[in-house]
């Protein structure tokens, strides 16, 4: 028998049977942990002495634990440092309130954040994706995607009918997590392809035996070959309901001892997802049909986006739409978004059914698309099979490829900027293959920024950083001769006190993670490093922002300057915001 089958069943047997899989999705918070100790390494578990307290409760017990240690000068000094760090950071909320921060320098969800220096004056042509870039979908869409894929699994792929009782839980997953097709685990990766150990889930339950990870990978790091062969990266917003469905089906299978292979489950869900998105390739897809018939429930109106595009046109910019969605769906959506059927007039070129990301490297020719103003009779009638060697005003085209697009339009590569939401379909290839400027639309920024500006989060960040510096300097002091002359048992007590500080640091990190999402934390960070998703945004996008409309707040000659990243060996600079405040007051 495949090793992973027996491993998964043994793992499932150790899981609690909770997780409100069937029902409203309300009630207990998804993935609520019976014990935070499930994320400790063996050493961490020993340090905790069986204490499963976590978050603020565990942190408040930290001071009481300090009293268990002896009274030599080193122990007293380290205990005092821990106590003072807590008092400065956690017991003084007013110090970290945003009311006392530099308000004009606080990032907001209306900002555009640069990864590279970018001069908008160089941009002559702007391109846009449709889904989740121009189109702002409501929370009803992921629920519908989940339900439709679930029903395809049951009705067309013979999955158990009881799965029809599963309901979508929008709080479970985040964008940017990965699914391991060999183990069935969902987890988040950091920028170095290390698994964030406190995010591993099998079904709806956190993995409780981390020895599984060490036995498979010899640690949290995943080799590039393993990543390529066995991981699905769930990087777009459509994949969030897919991730939730993966977890729900695995939870059901494990609780009911149903044998399965995680790879086949992933393939079936992906196939069902492609079916609802693409249908038979001729008529409107099932998902698009549902959205079009209830457009107000799925799509927010956005006349301000039309105003932005019209402003860019008045400034002499050329605009194009490049989307994988079909014309009928895009036409219905943009008519609703902009409040006018004349939306095509704002674009110089409209390309639908593009098949990104293969569009950037393929050699498929462009085709004419019949529309309501060219499908009658006479000379204006388009013939979809005809050769396309130029783009005509007011017409719509499908397919094609990047090389032909550049040749027909004459757009200079370094004068084009394209906005989209998908790392690979929208951002990677245009920036790598043609040197286009790219902008990522990351709607999660709105929520992430609201968390970052909470006093509790700001306190926790300061507390962790102060703890790390205390640990660093206290360790350095053990190299002195006076410490080396201490009795062995007092040296060991000091090391255990250092370990207690490390455990306190871990507890605070858990609390910070849960402020974003109790299962996977922040979209942009793991415990120690940027997430893999954030790293790819930095690699493939010149700028990123929460909403395309934010572009309208910047003049056409604006220059974006990226934040200077300090290397570990570089000296700490003065607080620049303090200096800037002084300059602006002067």
């Amino acid at each position: 028998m495949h090793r992973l089958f027996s491993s998964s069943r043994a793992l499932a047997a150790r899981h609690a049977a909770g997780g409100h899989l069937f029902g409203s999705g309300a009630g207990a918070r998804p993935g609520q942990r019976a014990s935070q100790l499930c994320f400790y390494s063996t050493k961490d578990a020993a340090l905790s002495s069986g204490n499963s307290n976590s978050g603020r409760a565990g942190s408040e017990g930290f001071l009481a634990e300090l009293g268990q240690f002896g009274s030599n000068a080193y122990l007293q000094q380290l205990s005092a440092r821990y106590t003072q760090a807590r008092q400065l950071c956690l017991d003084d909320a007013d110090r970290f309130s945003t009311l006392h921060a530099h308000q004009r320098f606080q990032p907001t969800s209306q900002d555009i954040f640069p990864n590279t220096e970018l001069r908008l004056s160089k941009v002559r042509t702007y391109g846009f994706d449709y889904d989740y870039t121009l189109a702002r979908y409501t929370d009803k869409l992921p629920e519908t995607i989940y339900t439709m894929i679930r029903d395809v699994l049951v009705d067309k792929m013979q999955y158990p009918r009881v799965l029809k009782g599963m309901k979508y839980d929008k709080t479970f997953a985040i964008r940017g997590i990965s699914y391991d097709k060999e183990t069935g685990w969902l987890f988040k990766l950091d920028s170095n392809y290390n698994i964030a150990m406190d995010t591993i889930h099998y079904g709806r339950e956190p993995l409780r035996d981390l020895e599984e990870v060490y036995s498979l990978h010899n640690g949290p790091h995943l080799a590039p070959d393993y990543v390529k062969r066995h991981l699905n990266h769930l990087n777009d917003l459509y994949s969030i309901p897919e991730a939730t469905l993966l977890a729900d089906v695995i939870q059901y299978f494990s609780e009911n001892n149903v044998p399965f292979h995680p790879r086949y489950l992933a393939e079936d869900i992906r196939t069902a997802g492609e079916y609802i998105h693409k249908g038979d390739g001729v008529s409107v897809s099932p998902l698009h049909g549902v959205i079009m018939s209830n457009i107000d429930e799925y799509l927010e109106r956005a006349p301000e986006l039309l105003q932005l595009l019209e402003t860019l046109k008045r400034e002499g910019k050329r605009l194009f739409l490049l989307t994988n969605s079909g014309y009928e769906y895009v036409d219905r959506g943009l008519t609703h978004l902009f409040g006018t059927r004349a939306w095509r007039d704002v674009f110089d070129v409209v390309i639908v059914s593009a098949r990104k990301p293969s569009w950037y490297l393929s050699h498929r020719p462009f085709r004419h698309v019949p529309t309501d103003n060219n499908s009658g009779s006479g000379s204006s009638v388009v013939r979809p099979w005809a050769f396309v060697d130029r783009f005509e005003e007011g017409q719509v085209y499908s397919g094609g490829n990047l090389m032909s697009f550049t040749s027909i339009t004459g757009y200079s590569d370094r004068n084009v900027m394209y906005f989209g939401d998908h790392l690979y379909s929208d951002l990677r290839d245009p920036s790598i293959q043609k040197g286009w400027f790219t902008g990522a639309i990351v709607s999660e920024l709105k929520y992430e920024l609201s968390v970052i500006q909470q006093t509790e989060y700001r306190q926790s960040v300061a507390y962790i950083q102060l703890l790390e510096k205390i640990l660093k300097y206290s360790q350095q002091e053990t190299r002195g001769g006076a410490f080396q002359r201490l009795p062995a048992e007092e040296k060991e007590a000091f090391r255990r006190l250092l370990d207690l500080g490390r455990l306190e640091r871990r507890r605070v990190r858990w609390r910070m993670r849960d402020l974003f999402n109790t299962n996977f934390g922040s979209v942009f960070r793991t415990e120690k490093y940027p997430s893999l998703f954030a790293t790819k945004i930095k690699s493939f996008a010149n700028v990123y922002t929460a909403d395309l409309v934010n572009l309208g707040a910047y003049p056409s000659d604006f220059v974006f300057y990226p934040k200077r990243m300090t290397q570990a060996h570089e000296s700490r600079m003065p607080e620049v915001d303090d200096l800037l405040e002084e300059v602006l007051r002067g």
Side-chain angles (χ1 to χ4, degrees):
M1 180 179 290
H2 195 296
R3 186 194 74 81
L4 293 172
F5 289 168
S6 58
S7 172
S8 295
R9 283 205 294 271
L11 185 63
R14 291 195 295 272
H15 286 165
H20 295 265
L21 188 60
F22 299 96
S24 66
R29 299 183 76 181
Q32 192 73 33
R33 297 164 179 77
S35 168
Q36 293 283 14
L37 288 179
C38 58
F39 299 122
Y40 289 4
S41 66
T42 304
K43 182 178 179 182
D44 288 333
L47 289 175
S48 70
S49 302
N51 184 355
S52 63
N53 288 334
S54 61
R56 179 164 292 278
S59 188
E60 288 174 348
F62 173 58
L63 295 181
E65 294 176 72
L66 295 180
Q68 300 173 9
F69 291 86
S71 59
N72 72 51
Y74 286 95
L75 292 169
Q76 289 178 342
Q77 184 179 55
L78 182 53
S79 294
R81 288 170 176 172
Y82 286 157
T83 301
Q84 188 175 10
R86 179 182 173 84
Q87 291 171 345
L88 288 172
C89 298
L90 299 189
D91 295 342
D92 187 3
D94 189 61
R95 178 194 295 266
F96 296 95
S97 169
T98 53
L99 294 176
H100 297 282
H102 298 281
Q103 289 298 314
R104 72 174 84 188
F105 308 134
Q106 291 299 305
T108 73
S109 59
Q110 287 77 50
D111 289 336
I112 292 179
F113 303 98
N115 292 319
T116 67
E117 185 171 323
L118 173 64
R119 298 175 180 271
L120 292 183
S121 59
K122 290 186 175 181
V123 180
R124 294 279 297 118
T125 304
Y126 285 95
F128 308 95
D129 182 36
Y130 173 71
D131 294 293
Y132 284 109
T133 300
L134 291 171
R136 300 171 181 163
Y137 291 108
T138 68
D139 289 342
K140 188 174 179 62
L141 179 58
E143 179 183 358
T144 299
I145 292 172
Y146 176 98
T147 302
M148 293 183 72
I149 295 176
R150 179 203 67 193
D151 290 351
V152 171
L153 291 179
V154 174
D155 297 338
K156 297 183 179 295
M157 306 177 81
Q158 300 182 10
Y159 276 67
R161 291 203 63 81
V162 69
L163 298 185
K164 285 253 189 174
M166 296 189 308
K167 304 297 183 183
Y168 177 61
D169 178 1
K170 67 179 182 180
T171 68
F172 175 72
I174 62 172
R175 177 156 55 152
I177 59 178
S178 299
Y179 176 76
D180 190 322
K181 293 178 286 188
E182 283 296 290
T183 62
W185 298 339
L186 284 165
F187 49 74
K188 188 166 60 177
L189 289 174
D190 70 18
S191 55
N192 299 310
Y193 288 90
N194 295 311
I195 298 173
M197 302 291 274
D198 61 343
T199 68
I200 307 174
H201 281 68
Y202 182 73
R204 294 296 293 266
E205 297 292 331
L207 186 65
R208 302 188 185 282
D209 185 3
L210 295 185
E211 291 304 320
E212 296 260 340
V213 182
Y214 285 89
S215 65
L216 184 61
H217 300 294
N218 295 318
H221 181 70
L222 296 185
D225 184 60
Y226 188 92
V227 171
K228 183 177 181 180
R229 289 186 293 114
H230 299 306
L231 294 196
N232 281 348
H233 299 299
L234 307 173
N235 285 319
D236 64 12
L237 291 166
Y238 288 122
S239 65
I240 296 178
E242 291 184 21
T244 304
L245 187 58
L246 279 165
D248 286 348
V249 175
I250 289 175
Q251 185 73 24
Y252 172 80
F253 283 166
S254 64
E255 288 177 354
N256 292 277
N257 295 318
V258 178
F260 73 103
H261 197 294
R263 184 178 296 270
Y264 289 147
L265 175 60
E267 291 176 355
D268 288 348
I269 288 180
R270 183 59 54 89
T271 298
E274 290 180 353
Y275 169 74
I276 70 166
H277 279 91
K278 299 178 181 179
D280 58 15
V282 178
S283 54
V284 173
S285 74
L287 177 62
H288 289 175
V290 169
I291 294 172
M292 291 169 65
S293 63
N294 303 276
I295 196 77
D296 285 311
E297 295 183 21
Y298 290 96
L299 204 57
E300 299 175 5
R301 295 186 184 274
E304 66 275 15
L305 279 178
L306 178 60
Q307 296 172 9
L308 167 65
L309 299 181
E310 290 174 339
T311 298
L312 293 174
K313 288 284 284 186
R314 287 194 297 271
E315 293 173 349
K317 309 299 183 183
R318 298 168 298 202
L319 308 182
F320 68 90
L321 175 66
L322 175 65
T323 175
N324 285 346
S325 294
Y327 172 71
E328 188 175 351
Y329 177 65
V330 173
D331 180 47
R332 181 78 174 89
L334 287 180
T335 298
H336 176 80
L337 281 165
F338 294 166
T340 174
R341 290 191 56 80
W343 61 265
R344 290 198 303 270
D345 295 345
V346 78
F347 294 105
D348 296 277
V349 181
V350 175
I351 300 168
V352 298
S353 304
R355 300 187 186 179
K356 298 175 294 179
S358 64
W359 187 86
Y360 301 108
L361 296 175
S362 76
H363 297 281
R364 292 176 62 247
F366 285 101
R367 301 184 66 169
H368 288 280
V369 174
T371 65
D372 52 2
N373 64 350
N374 65 16
S375 57
S377 60
S379 60
S380 63
V381 175
V382 304
R383 295 171 173 80
W385 54 86
F387 180 73
V388 175
D389 59 358
R390 62 191 178 94
F391 294 143
E392 300 178 17
E393 184 177 349
Q395 299 301 309
V396 178
Y397 302 88
S398 69
N401 61 83
L402 177 57
M403 185 179 299
S404 296
F405 176 81
T406 303
S407 175
I408 294 173
T409 61
Y411 294 166
S412 173
D413 297 337
R414 290 305 299 171
N415 293 333
V416 178
M417 184 166 192
Y418 185 68
F419 282 91
D421 71 290
H422 197 287
L423 285 174
Y424 298 102
S425 292
D426 298 325
L427 304 174
R428 180 186 62 181
D429 286 324
S431 62
I432 292 175
Q433 301 297 332
K434 299 295 285 185
W436 286 4
F437 300 118
T438 51
I441 304 301
V442 187
S443 59
E444 294 93 335
L445 274 169
K446 295 178 182 178
Y447 179 70
E448 296 259 334
L449 285 167
S450 72
V451 172
I452 289 171
Q453 291 169 5
Q454 290 179 19
T455 298
E456 180 181 0
Y457 179 86
R458 295 162 63 88
Q459 287 177 278
S460 298
V461 171
Y463 186 38
I464 284 176
Q465 291 177 342
L466 190 51
L467 278 175
E468 290 171 345
K469 290 184 180 297
I470 289 171
L471 289 167
K472 172 186 173 182
Y473 288 110
S474 297
Q475 289 176 97
Q476 290 175 338
E477 290 171 349
T478 65
R479 296 182 295 184
F483 182 86
Q484 297 302 321
R485 289 190 292 272
L486 289 176
E489 62 272 14
E490 293 193 18
K491 291 180 186 177
E492 179 59 27
F494 186 81
R495 294 188 181 97
R496 286 191 290 113
L497 188 55
L498 287 173
D499 285 339
L500 188 63
R502 296 185 184 107
L503 183 57
E504 170 74 349
R505 172 177 171 269
R506 177 72 60 86
R507 288 168 174 160
V508 177
R509 285 191 180 278
W510 285 334
R511 187 164 70 243
M512 290 171 60
R513 175 204 55 209
D514 288 353
L515 291 173
F516 295 96
N517 177 279
T518 58
N519 301 303
F520 300 101
S522 167
V523 172
F524 291 91
R525 298 197 66 85
T526 63
E527 182 177 313
K528 301 175 184 177
Y529 306 107
S531 66
L532 182 61
F533 175 80
T535 303
K536 297 302 182 183
I537 289 288
K538 186 175 181 63
S539 298
F540 302 148
N542 296 91
V543 299
Y544 61 101
T545 188
D547 194 304
L548 179 61
V549 75
N550 294 339
L551 181 62
Y554 295 84
S556 59
D557 59 351
F558 193 86
V559 181
F560 291 98
Y561 298 102
K563 188 175 182 179
R564 177 181 173 86
M565 304 304 293
T566 304
Q567 302 293 325
H569 67 278
E570 293 180 323
S571 300
R572 179 182 180 276
M573 295 293 107
E575 291 294 340
V576 176
D577 284 351
D578 291 337
L579 301 179
L580 181 57
E581 186 73 36
E582 184 175 336
V583 169
L584 295 178
R585 283 201 307 267

